[in-house]
Short mmCIF file of all heavy atoms in Angstrom, two decimals:
data_model
loop_
_atom_site.label_atom_id
_atom_site.label_comp_id
_atom_site.label_asym_id
_atom_site.label_seq_id
_atom_site.Cartn_x
_atom_site.Cartn_y
_atom_site.Cartn_z
N ILE M 26 -11.95 0.45 -19.10
CA ILE M 26 -12.24 1.60 -18.24
C ILE M 26 -11.29 1.56 -17.05
O ILE M 26 -10.70 0.52 -16.75
CB ILE M 26 -13.72 1.58 -17.76
CG1 ILE M 26 -14.04 0.24 -17.08
CG2 ILE M 26 -14.67 1.85 -18.92
CD1 ILE M 26 -15.46 0.15 -16.52
N PRO M 27 -11.11 2.68 -16.34
CA PRO M 27 -10.20 2.66 -15.19
C PRO M 27 -10.57 1.62 -14.14
O PRO M 27 -9.68 1.04 -13.50
CB PRO M 27 -10.31 4.09 -14.63
CG PRO M 27 -10.70 4.92 -15.81
CD PRO M 27 -11.59 4.05 -16.64
N GLN M 28 -11.86 1.36 -13.95
CA GLN M 28 -12.27 0.36 -12.97
C GLN M 28 -11.68 -1.02 -13.28
O GLN M 28 -11.41 -1.80 -12.37
CB GLN M 28 -13.80 0.27 -12.91
CG GLN M 28 -14.48 1.52 -12.37
CD GLN M 28 -14.90 2.46 -13.48
OE1 GLN M 28 -14.19 2.64 -14.46
NE2 GLN M 28 -16.08 3.07 -13.31
N ALA M 29 -11.49 -1.31 -14.57
CA ALA M 29 -10.90 -2.60 -14.93
C ALA M 29 -9.47 -2.71 -14.42
O ALA M 29 -9.05 -3.74 -13.87
CB ALA M 29 -10.95 -2.79 -16.45
N ALA M 30 -8.68 -1.65 -14.60
CA ALA M 30 -7.30 -1.66 -14.12
C ALA M 30 -7.25 -1.74 -12.60
O ALA M 30 -6.43 -2.46 -12.02
CB ALA M 30 -6.56 -0.41 -14.62
N VAL M 31 -8.13 -1.00 -11.93
CA VAL M 31 -8.18 -1.05 -10.46
C VAL M 31 -8.50 -2.46 -9.99
O VAL M 31 -7.86 -2.99 -9.06
CB VAL M 31 -9.22 -0.04 -9.93
CG1 VAL M 31 -9.44 -0.23 -8.43
CG2 VAL M 31 -8.77 1.39 -10.21
N ALA M 32 -9.49 -3.09 -10.64
CA ALA M 32 -9.90 -4.44 -10.23
C ALA M 32 -8.78 -5.44 -10.46
O ALA M 32 -8.54 -6.33 -9.63
CB ALA M 32 -11.16 -4.84 -10.98
N LEU M 33 -8.09 -5.34 -11.60
CA LEU M 33 -6.95 -6.23 -11.86
C LEU M 33 -5.89 -6.07 -10.79
O LEU M 33 -5.40 -7.06 -10.22
CB LEU M 33 -6.35 -5.93 -13.23
CG LEU M 33 -4.92 -6.45 -13.47
CD1 LEU M 33 -4.86 -7.96 -13.40
CD2 LEU M 33 -4.37 -5.94 -14.80
N LEU M 34 -5.51 -4.83 -10.49
CA LEU M 34 -4.41 -4.62 -9.54
C LEU M 34 -4.80 -5.03 -8.13
O LEU M 34 -3.96 -5.56 -7.38
CB LEU M 34 -3.98 -3.15 -9.59
CG LEU M 34 -3.38 -2.71 -10.93
CD1 LEU M 34 -3.09 -1.22 -10.93
CD2 LEU M 34 -2.12 -3.50 -11.26
N ALA M 35 -6.05 -4.83 -7.74
CA ALA M 35 -6.49 -5.28 -6.42
C ALA M 35 -6.50 -6.80 -6.34
O ALA M 35 -6.11 -7.38 -5.32
CB ALA M 35 -7.88 -4.72 -6.11
N THR M 36 -6.94 -7.44 -7.41
CA THR M 36 -6.93 -8.91 -7.45
C THR M 36 -5.51 -9.43 -7.32
O THR M 36 -5.24 -10.37 -6.55
CB THR M 36 -7.56 -9.40 -8.77
OG1 THR M 36 -8.93 -8.95 -8.85
CG2 THR M 36 -7.51 -10.91 -8.89
N ALA M 37 -4.59 -8.83 -8.09
CA ALA M 37 -3.19 -9.26 -8.01
C ALA M 37 -2.59 -8.97 -6.65
O ALA M 37 -1.78 -9.75 -6.14
CB ALA M 37 -2.39 -8.55 -9.10
N ALA M 38 -2.98 -7.85 -6.03
CA ALA M 38 -2.43 -7.48 -4.73
C ALA M 38 -2.71 -8.54 -3.68
O ALA M 38 -1.89 -8.78 -2.79
CB ALA M 38 -2.98 -6.13 -4.29
N VAL M 39 -3.88 -9.19 -3.76
CA VAL M 39 -4.21 -10.22 -2.76
C VAL M 39 -3.74 -11.61 -3.20
O VAL M 39 -3.92 -12.57 -2.46
CB VAL M 39 -5.73 -10.25 -2.46
CG1 VAL M 39 -6.21 -8.89 -1.99
CG2 VAL M 39 -6.54 -10.73 -3.66
N GLY M 40 -3.14 -11.70 -4.40
CA GLY M 40 -2.64 -12.99 -4.87
C GLY M 40 -3.70 -13.85 -5.54
O GLY M 40 -3.45 -15.03 -5.82
N ALA M 41 -4.88 -13.29 -5.79
CA ALA M 41 -5.91 -14.03 -6.53
C ALA M 41 -5.58 -14.00 -8.01
O ALA M 41 -4.69 -13.27 -8.46
CB ALA M 41 -7.29 -13.45 -6.25
N VAL M 42 -6.31 -14.79 -8.80
CA VAL M 42 -6.01 -14.97 -10.22
C VAL M 42 -7.07 -14.24 -11.04
O VAL M 42 -8.26 -14.53 -10.93
CB VAL M 42 -5.98 -16.47 -10.60
CG1 VAL M 42 -5.58 -16.64 -12.07
CG2 VAL M 42 -5.03 -17.23 -9.69
N TRP M 43 -6.65 -13.33 -11.88
CA TRP M 43 -7.54 -12.47 -12.67
C TRP M 43 -7.89 -13.12 -14.01
O TRP M 43 -7.05 -13.77 -14.63
CB TRP M 43 -6.83 -11.14 -12.93
CG TRP M 43 -7.48 -10.23 -13.93
CD1 TRP M 43 -7.20 -10.14 -15.27
CD2 TRP M 43 -8.48 -9.25 -13.67
NE1 TRP M 43 -7.97 -9.16 -15.85
CE2 TRP M 43 -8.76 -8.60 -14.89
CE3 TRP M 43 -9.17 -8.85 -12.52
CZ2 TRP M 43 -9.71 -7.57 -15.00
CZ3 TRP M 43 -10.11 -7.83 -12.63
CH2 TRP M 43 -10.38 -7.21 -13.84
N THR M 44 -9.10 -12.91 -14.47
CA THR M 44 -9.46 -13.26 -15.84
C THR M 44 -10.58 -12.33 -16.28
O THR M 44 -11.43 -11.94 -15.47
CB THR M 44 -9.88 -14.73 -15.95
OG1 THR M 44 -9.96 -15.09 -17.34
CG2 THR M 44 -11.20 -15.02 -15.27
N SER M 45 -10.57 -11.92 -17.56
CA SER M 45 -11.54 -10.92 -18.00
C SER M 45 -12.07 -11.22 -19.39
O SER M 45 -11.41 -11.86 -20.20
CB SER M 45 -10.92 -9.52 -17.98
OG SER M 45 -9.82 -9.43 -18.88
N CYS M 46 -13.27 -10.73 -19.63
CA CYS M 46 -13.90 -10.73 -20.95
C CYS M 46 -14.51 -9.36 -21.19
O CYS M 46 -15.03 -8.73 -20.27
CB CYS M 46 -15.00 -11.79 -21.05
SG CYS M 46 -14.43 -13.49 -21.19
N ALA M 47 -14.47 -8.91 -22.43
CA ALA M 47 -15.11 -7.65 -22.79
C ALA M 47 -16.62 -7.83 -22.82
O ALA M 47 -17.12 -8.92 -23.13
CB ALA M 47 -14.61 -7.18 -24.14
N PRO M 48 -17.40 -6.79 -22.53
CA PRO M 48 -18.86 -6.94 -22.46
C PRO M 48 -19.55 -7.10 -23.80
O PRO M 48 -20.76 -7.28 -23.84
CB PRO M 48 -19.32 -5.67 -21.74
CG PRO M 48 -18.24 -4.69 -21.98
CD PRO M 48 -16.96 -5.46 -22.07
N ASP M 49 -18.79 -7.03 -24.91
CA ASP M 49 -19.42 -7.38 -26.18
C ASP M 49 -19.45 -8.89 -26.39
O ASP M 49 -20.08 -9.38 -27.32
CB ASP M 49 -18.73 -6.68 -27.35
CG ASP M 49 -17.25 -6.95 -27.43
OD1 ASP M 49 -16.67 -7.41 -26.43
OD2 ASP M 49 -16.65 -6.69 -28.49
N PHE M 50 -18.78 -9.65 -25.51
CA PHE M 50 -18.90 -11.11 -25.53
C PHE M 50 -20.30 -11.48 -25.05
O PHE M 50 -20.79 -10.96 -24.05
CB PHE M 50 -17.88 -11.76 -24.59
CG PHE M 50 -16.46 -11.78 -25.09
CD1 PHE M 50 -15.97 -10.79 -25.93
CD2 PHE M 50 -15.60 -12.79 -24.70
CE1 PHE M 50 -14.65 -10.81 -26.37
CE2 PHE M 50 -14.29 -12.82 -25.13
CZ PHE M 50 -13.81 -11.83 -25.97
N GLY M 51 -20.92 -12.42 -25.74
CA GLY M 51 -22.20 -12.94 -25.27
C GLY M 51 -22.01 -13.90 -24.11
O GLY M 51 -20.90 -14.32 -23.79
#
């Protein structure tokens, strides 16, 4: 979803490290 891209780019903008899982993961 667009919120995922926004969250990734904001995380990268501050120099933090991003990691994600899809919500079908248990």
Side-chain angles (χ1 to χ4, degrees):
I26 54 178
Q28 294 94 322
V31 171
L33 161 63
L34 296 175
T36 299
V39 303
V42 184
W43 169 266
T44 191
S45 62
C46 286
D49 56 343
F50 285 30

